[in-house]
Each structure stands twice: as C-alpha cells, then as structure tokens.
Amino acid sequence: MQEQAVLTAGSDYRELDEYFRGNRIKRILLVCGRSINRLSLGIYFESLCERTGTEVVRFSDFHPNPSYESVVKGVTLFHHSGCDSIVAVGGGSAMDVAKCIKLYSNMDTTENYLRQKIIPNDVKLLAIPTTAGTGSEATRYAVIYYKGEKQSVADSSCIPQAVLMDPNTLKTLPIYQKKSTMLDALCHAIESFWSVNSTQESKKYSEEALRMILSNMDAYLDNDEAGNAAMLRAANLAGRAINITQTTAGHAMCYKMTSLYGIAHGHAAALCVNRIWPYMLDHMEQCLDPRGKLYLRKTFEDLAAVMGSRTPYGSVKKFQSILEELALETPTPEQKDYEILKTSVNPVRLKNHPVLLDENAIDKLYHQILG
C-alpha cells in the first residue's frame, strides 16, 4: 500500500485545495453527517466549486451503525451523479460508509455487494476525521449492518489515500465524547502493542501514539488547538498499529457493553482493558504468543517504559489513575447480564490476545469490570 498522505488544515485549507486541483478531481461525493454544518469545513465545501472547479455532491443518508442499504444508496448516487472521488467527513460511521462506497463502486449493481469479490479500484478517498479516537481513517476495516447483523468488511484497498488533520473539528465535541474517543485511541495503542500479531512497525506506531496521547491529554481535554492536533495524529498512529495487528480482548469484550448499557465504545473498551491488563500479568504462564513467555514479559516491560512506569504493574496503576481522573462511571449490571456478556465475545478476536481467556476467565473478568 502507498503511504497515506497527511494534509494539514492551516487557516485557509490551502493544502486541501491543492489536493483537489493536483488530482484533477471534478466531482466529489461528500459523505458526512449533519454536524458538518457546525464546522468551518461546511463553509469550505460550500465554496469549493467556486474556488477550484470541483463540484460537491453531498450524501448524508446514514445513521450510526450504518446499514448496508445506506451504502447501496451511496453507491447509486456516486454513479448517477458522475463522481470521480470520495471525501468522508465525520467519525467512524461516515468513514465506514465512505470506505464501502469506494469498495463497491466498481461491482455489479444487480448483485449483493457483500457476496462479491472485492477488486481494488483507483477511486480516490480522502478522510477528514472529526473525532480523535477510532483511527478508522488509517485502517482496512469497515463495519455495516445487513438485516440487523453486523458485517465486517476488510480490504486494504479501502484505506484512504489521504487524510486531513483539522483540530477545529474537535472544538465542539461534548466532553464525554472527547474522553471516550481518546480512550479508544489509547486502548488501540495498548492492545496493538501486546497483540500476538505485533511487529516492529506496529510497535513503533503504538509507542509513538501512546507517548503523544499521554503528553497531550490535558491540553486536548482543555480544547487547546495544539492538543487537539496532537490527539488527531495519535489516533491516526494507533489506527495504523491496529491495521497491522487488529485489536485483542479489550475490544472483543467491550462491544456488547456499549449496546447493553448505552455507553461509548472507548469508555467500554477502557473499562475492559483496566481489568484484563492485570489479569494478564498474573497469568503469563498461559501465554499464547508463539514468541514465548520471555518475549511476552519483555513486551509488558517495554510497554511500562513507554507509559513512564518502572514496572508492568506500575503501568497498570497509571492506566487506572487515568480512568479515575476522567471520572467515567461504571455501569450497574443485573445478574442476567453476565451470561449475555460472556456469550457475546467473538472468539476470532480472542485469537489475537497473548494470554488464554477461557469462558470462566471471561466471566470472572466481567464481574471485575462491572463490580
């Protein structure tokens, strides 16, 4: 894959203008939510044609947890309006929809796209994230829902060729969303670091993301422009890391919690990682990483050093202190919830986890997470 180009917004979006001119883009499909109307980007795209000659066709007919049917509508609009490029502005949902529109844009429109083989195409996709957390703009993954069932779509050809980092997009985010998306990026970097699929390259991305998150956390939460810019970059780096390694048990165990308790994804992931991490340190004899227990022990020591801690248990305490400072609540479960949660975990995601987690361990962990 070609290295992703990173554009900066500046005060006048000059680099963005040059992107459209330089690539001779005539008409874009702008995949975005209504929140774009509150951003300076909204004004930018309204006047894009006048400045550069690039026409804008807007597509906003989707919701959080976007449906397959929404993607089909987007593909139809892309073709009927004669677009030659796609721009995604938003969080994970906008990114997922735009990625799938790109993937499906050269497929047979008379057949279900999910059942067809993906053939890479040269449709350009530019991503402009409006949250610093998902890292979706840097990954080959997208999630949509077909007949109510989650469909994971994965292909490296859907990774955007370019991404614009605009710290202004984070200024109007509610504080809870800022906290939870930051935690999502933090968990991405941590889980990628200890994943059985980790590589030298992925660990480099993880380490850089972790250092950037930890050193800019306060400025970001204070809505400082430099802090916002750094967190966008950190989320992108963490996304690059999980694009190589995928996530582990923290994410495998958090998904049902978000729907069951109505909490944000990053919030749920952090609650899980908070208990999974010390459990792993206490059960390293159950190492599943083919590189062995000594390697895994060194991984936790290296992770502690990146976190600015002297020992692996010290890094756990640092993570716990971050959660305490953010003051995010832990949901109150009903007894029946534990069975629902225990059976919801995707075993495929657990294959990336470096320490064995059987059904009893998962049940025990959920009691600790919610206890």
Side-chain angles (χ1 to χ4, degrees):
M1 177 203 158
Q2 184 179 353
E3 180 67 16
Q4 187 180 61
V6 178
L7 312 178
T8 54
S11 58
D12 54 6
Y13 296 106
R14 185 175 302 174
E15 285 190 28
L16 200 49
D17 278 352
E18 289 305 314
Y19 169 84
F20 294 120
R21 288 196 188 100
N23 288 291
R24 299 180 180 180
I25 295 171
K26 300 301 182 185
R27 185 174 292 129
I28 64 169
L29 182 70
L30 178 62
V31 181
C32 61
R34 294 182 181 86
S35 62
I36 195 174
N37 297 325
R38 302 194 300 269
L39 305 174
S40 54
L41 276 168
I43 299 172
Y44 169 85
F45 282 108
E46 284 179 1
S47 59
L48 180 63
C49 186
E50 181 182 334
R51 286 194 320 280
T52 67
T54 301
E55 297 180 25
V56 178
V57 177
R58 183 163 166 168
F59 179 67
S60 301
D61 192 3
F62 61 92
H63 300 282
N65 301 319
S67 68
Y68 168 80
E69 290 74 20
S70 290
V71 173
V72 172
K73 290 178 183 177
V75 175
T76 300
L77 181 61
F78 179 83
H79 288 308
H80 287 183
S81 58
C83 292
D84 57 358
S85 181
I86 303 169
V87 177
V89 179
S93 295
M95 299 294 168
D96 288 346
V97 170
K99 286 177 176 181
C100 288
I101 292 173
K102 172 181 165 59
L103 288 178
Y104 301 158
S105 64
N106 63 336
M107 289 188 182
D108 184 348
T109 59
T110 65
E111 299 289 337
N112 188 308
Y113 297 130
L114 292 167
R115 299 192 183 101
Q116 297 182 51
K117 180 181 178 181
I118 293 172
I119 300 174
N121 59 63
D122 57 2
V123 174
K124 292 192 178 300
L125 172 57
L126 166 70
I128 307 177
T130 58
T131 63
T134 70
S136 179
E137 76 281 356
T139 74
R140 63 186 186 274
Y141 308 111
V143 173
I144 56 176
Y145 286 77
Y146 180 64
K147 296 184 177 179
E149 295 296 322
K150 179 180 174 182
Q151 305 292 319
S152 294
V153 181
D155 193 87
S156 59
S157 67
C158 78
I159 301 175
Q161 289 79 19
V163 57
L164 174 76
M165 303 288 187
D166 182 5
N168 292 317
T169 61
L170 306 184
K171 284 186 176 180
T172 58
L173 285 179
I175 189 61
Y176 174 68
Q177 193 172 0
K178 291 200 77 170
K179 290 178 180 180
S180 59
T181 50
M182 177 187 71
L183 286 173
D184 193 18
L186 182 60
C187 290
H188 283 164
I190 291 170
E191 289 185 54
S192 178
F193 200 93
W194 66 43
S195 169
V196 300
N197 303 316
S198 65
T199 65
Q200 188 174 354
E201 181 184 11
S202 71
K203 283 192 171 182
K204 180 181 177 183
Y205 288 141
S206 292
E207 179 175 342
E208 193 173 349
L210 282 168
R211 294 188 188 280
M212 201 170 286
I213 291 168
L214 295 173
S215 60
N216 290 279
M217 189 177 297
D218 291 341
Y220 163 75
L221 293 174
D222 287 340
N223 230 353
D224 175 80
E225 184 171 341
N228 285 343
M231 202 60 67
L232 279 168
R233 180 63 177 156
N236 181 267
L237 289 165
R240 294 183 185 208
I242 62 167
N243 186 54
I244 295 172
T245 66
Q246 300 179 282
T247 52
T248 63
H251 274 67
M253 294 180 64
C254 83
Y255 285 106
K256 193 63 179 179
M257 287 174 58
T258 62
S259 59
L260 201 58
Y261 303 115
I263 60 176
H265 169 70
H267 180 180
L271 291 177
C272 291
V273 167
N274 189 45
R275 295 300 182 182
I276 292 169
W277 197 343
Y279 179 91
M280 294 165 66
L281 295 179
D282 290 340
H283 295 82
M284 276 199 281
E285 74 282 357
Q286 298 179 31
C287 173
L288 295 179
D289 194 309
R291 293 166 288 195
K293 286 187 287 186
L294 289 178
Y295 172 84
L296 183 58
R297 184 174 289 109
K298 179 68 163 54
T299 294
F300 283 121
E301 290 171 354
D302 292 344
L303 181 55
V306 174
M307 296 282 291
S309 302
R310 296 177 61 185
T311 68
Y313 284 101
S315 59
V316 170
K317 288 183 179 178
K318 181 156 188 175
F319 185 85
Q320 291 172 342
S321 70
I322 289 171
L323 276 187
E324 289 173 5
E325 288 174 16
L326 293 177
L328 299 180
E329 294 183 2
T330 300
T332 302
E334 298 180 21
Q335 190 58 41
K336 62 180 176 64
D337 292 353
Y338 292 111
E339 186 64 27
I340 296 171
L341 290 165
K342 182 175 63 176
T343 57
S344 72
V345 179
N346 185 345
V348 174
R349 287 183 180 270
L350 290 181
K351 290 181 180 179
N352 307 321
H353 199 70
V355 173
L356 176 67
L357 293 179
D358 59 19
E359 190 172 294
N360 288 334
I362 291 171
D363 184 58
K364 179 181 179 181
L365 281 167
Y366 273 127
H367 278 80
Q368 292 177 354
I369 291 165
L370 298 170

